[in-house]
Amino acid sequence: MEIGFTPNYEESIIAGRAAARNAFSFWQRYWCWPVYLLLGLAVGWFLGWSWAHWGRSLGRVGGLAASASIAFLLYFAGAKLVMRLARRLGIRWIRQRRTETAVVFSIEADGLQWKSAHSLMKLGFPDIDQIYETERLVGFVSAGSAHYVPKRAFGSSDESRTFVRDVFQRLSDDAKQRSLKQNSVRVVVS
């Protein structure tokens, strides 16, 4: 089976996020958020203390609580905005510097293969740690890397389901167990 498609950088980012969501636990993904929360609270506390000290209109406790919560919310909203903006700018800058080249994807006897004009990448079935499926792609986690095939490359949804079933049957038992944790893969395989 050979499929030709042109990868999309936005799909690469979606594949990476989906792989992280499926491969890592909650605490492995969000280990830094308590630090961000404490930093936001410290900034909010400082601003609240200074506001309560300078402006006594709400009183010390009221000014401290109001400004601490406002500063924390602004900090949280700013962090989300910066992350979203960085992702969009990153995709845009990558597209400007490197054009997306066509890829021929195929299933070989020993694994999966992505071939383009510049590179050849093989992923053996024993190397796949997990298969996952999203709305836009079928992805593979292997040693912390995210490899994927967009669903738009398949002619129909039946072809993509058949592909997932074929790859799933060739995975190791551990990889099958990890893959079955995702509901969409469980539905396709059964």
Side-chain angles (χ1 to χ4, degrees):
M1 169 185 200
E2 278 195 0
I3 300 171
F5 66 93
T6 302
N8 183 342
Y9 290 124
E10 191 170 356
E11 289 172 345
S12 299
I13 291 175
I14 291 170
R17 285 180 151 193
R21 190 171 39 253
N22 289 309
F24 298 125
S25 70
F26 176 82
W27 293 111
Q28 289 173 324
R29 287 189 311 240
Y30 300 113
W31 65 270
C32 57
W33 278 102
V35 174
Y36 294 155
L37 293 175
L38 290 175
L39 184 60
L41 286 173
V43 167
W45 187 266
F46 175 74
L47 290 175
W49 177 82
S50 62
W51 188 21
H53 182 68
W54 289 323
R56 299 187 190 274
S57 62
L58 292 174
R60 288 196 147 205
V61 176
L64 181 65
S67 62
S69 59
I70 290 170
F72 176 72
L73 289 174
L74 288 174
Y75 178 81
F76 187 74
K80 283 299 238 183
L81 181 68
V82 166
M83 286 189 286
R84 183 173 291 144
L85 183 63
R87 185 178 73 236
R88 288 183 186 266
L89 285 175
I91 291 169
R92 187 171 170 207
W93 290 338
I94 290 172
R95 278 190 183 134
Q96 289 175 351
R97 297 200 178 18
R98 185 171 179 180
T99 59
E100 298 161 337
T101 57
V103 172
V104 175
F105 171 77
S106 61
I107 299 177
E108 305 294 323
D110 57 342
L112 308 173
Q113 177 176 300
W114 288 264
K115 186 174 19 175
S116 71
H118 307 293
S119 65
L120 174 68
M121 207 274 302
K122 291 185 177 187
L123 182 63
F125 291 118
D127 299 332
I128 297 174
D129 296 328
Q130 181 180 2
I131 185 172
Y132 62 92
E133 187 179 21
T134 67
E135 185 178 307
R136 296 174 62 182
L137 52 89
V138 176
F140 311 97
V141 177
S142 173
S145 297
H147 310 283
Y148 71 96
V149 178
K151 287 187 176 180
R152 61 182 164 80
F154 297 102
S156 67
S157 60
D158 291 336
E159 284 184 24
S160 68
R161 280 187 239 131
T162 303
F163 168 72
V164 170
R165 267 189 239 118
D166 289 346
V167 172
F168 182 82
Q169 291 171 356
R170 299 177 187 189
L171 296 178
S172 67
D173 291 336
D174 291 337
K176 285 180 182 177
Q177 292 303 317
R178 281 190 290 272
S179 300
L180 286 175
K181 290 179 183 176
Q182 189 180 27
N183 190 34
S184 61
V185 172
R186 204 173 327 130
V187 168
V188 168
V189 171
S190 61

